[in-house]
Amino acid sequence: MASRLLYLARHGEQESAEVESPEIGLSERGRRQATLLGERLRSVPFRTVHHGPLRRAAETAELVAASLPGIPVYATELAGDHLPHDTDPAGLPAAYANFLAAFPERERVDGPRLTAAAVARFATAPLDGEDRELVITHNFLIGWLVRHALDAPERRWLGLNQHNAGLTVIRYSSSGPPSLIAFNDVAHLPPELRGTGLPSDYRV
């Protein structure tokens, strides 16, 4: 039986900025989150680590990889911050409909294409043996992969919000459907480093 354990982690907290930019890196809290995530994963025998091309994901991967010596690290557009699905806003709450309406036409095409390629690359069992991979990415892709694993309606990627440096694990097996092993796990973070990246009314 072949199986893959896919570890998904959202990047650490980014620096605050008035204008969104791909060059925005991690805040001091974000660097601490990433370092602790790496320590949490130190004993996992990963085959590879992948991360999105934006600076906040790359910096998170660099800090995590410091605890994973010898594991190859790759940047890939597949783990980038893109719209996973051109979701029909009909019947959605106004806040979601307004959120979706803000995406330009090009991203409505390119985002789902990249997400489909990410699913084909990561959300499958290997041909044989056991495989473990880590993908350091963004909120949207993790929400989509969780939705995909649970075979939930496509619009259910909305509202699946991840903590910065939160850890999700999905098992893909040649013998059955995917299994969600862990979701948004932040046991490696002290209370003062939890909750960043979530809407303010979600934080406890």
Side-chain angles (χ1 to χ4, degrees), residues 65-84:
S67 293
L68 306 172
I71 306 299
V73 179
Y74 303 103
T76 173
E77 195 177 13
L78 299 184
D81 189 16
H82 38 73
L83 180 71

Side-chain angles (χ1 to χ4, degrees), residues 10-15 27 29-30 33 56 138-140 159-166 184 186 189 192-204:
R10 188 179 180 187
H11 60 80
E13 181 189 66
Q14 69 185 54
E15 293 178 307
S27 67
R29 283 158 55 97
Q33 290 168 336
R56 57 188 181 270
H138 302 266
N139 193 51
F140 292 170
L160 291 175
N161 295 288
Q162 320 300 315
H163 292 265
N164 289 122
N184 217 5
V186 289
L189 301 179
E192 66 272 16
L193 293 182
R194 299 178 186 179
T196 65
L198 299 182
S200 58
D201 55 342
Y202 285 20
R203 299 177 190 174
V204 293

Side-chain angles (χ1 to χ4, degrees), residues 8-195:
L8 301 163
R10 188 179 180 187
H11 60 80
E13 181 189 66
Q14 69 185 54
E15 293 178 307
S16 60
E18 293 183 4
V19 179
E20 184 71 19
S21 166
E23 294 307 311
I24 297 174
L26 298 180
S27 67
E28 180 57 36
R29 283 158 55 97
R31 288 188 285 273
R32 290 176 60 201
Q33 290 168 336
T35 298
L36 291 169
L37 175 61
E39 292 174 1
R40 165 82 180 272
L41 298 173
R42 187 186 302 275
S43 63
V44 180
F46 290 115
R47 182 168 64 87
T48 52
V49 176
H50 305 269
H51 66 84
L54 297 184
R55 183 177 170 190
R56 57 188 181 270
E59 287 185 356
T60 301
E62 181 180 5
L63 290 165
V64 169
S67 293
L68 306 172
I71 306 299
V73 179
Y74 303 103
T76 173
E77 195 177 13
L78 299 184
D81 189 16
H82 38 73
L83 180 71
H85 182 258
D86 188 12
T87 304
D88 184 351
L92 290 175
Y96 285 160
N98 293 337
F99 168 74
L100 292 168
F103 286 91
E105 181 63 28
R106 179 174 179 178
E107 193 156 355
R108 295 175 184 277
V109 175
D110 291 346
R113 174 183 58 80
L114 286 166
T115 301
V119 169
R121 168 60 184 84
F122 298 118
T124 57
L127 295 177
D128 55 59
E130 189 172 280
D131 184 23
R132 289 177 174 83
E133 291 192 294
L134 171 62
V135 179
I136 295 173
T137 182
H138 302 266
N139 193 51
F140 292 170
L141 182 59
I142 298 173
W144 182 263
L145 288 168
V146 169
R147 180 221 64 81
H148 176 268
L150 298 177
D151 199 23
E154 290 174 329
R155 61 176 51 195
R156 282 303 294 127
W157 70 273
L158 290 161
L160 291 175
N161 295 288
Q162 320 300 315
H163 292 265
N164 289 122
L167 185 64
T168 292
V169 183
I170 303 173
R171 182 175 183 268
Y172 299 94
S173 171
S174 59
S175 65
S179 298
L180 184 61
I181 304 299
F183 176 69
N184 217 5
D185 183 352
V186 289
H188 49 287
L189 301 179
E192 66 272 16
L193 293 182
R194 299 178 186 179

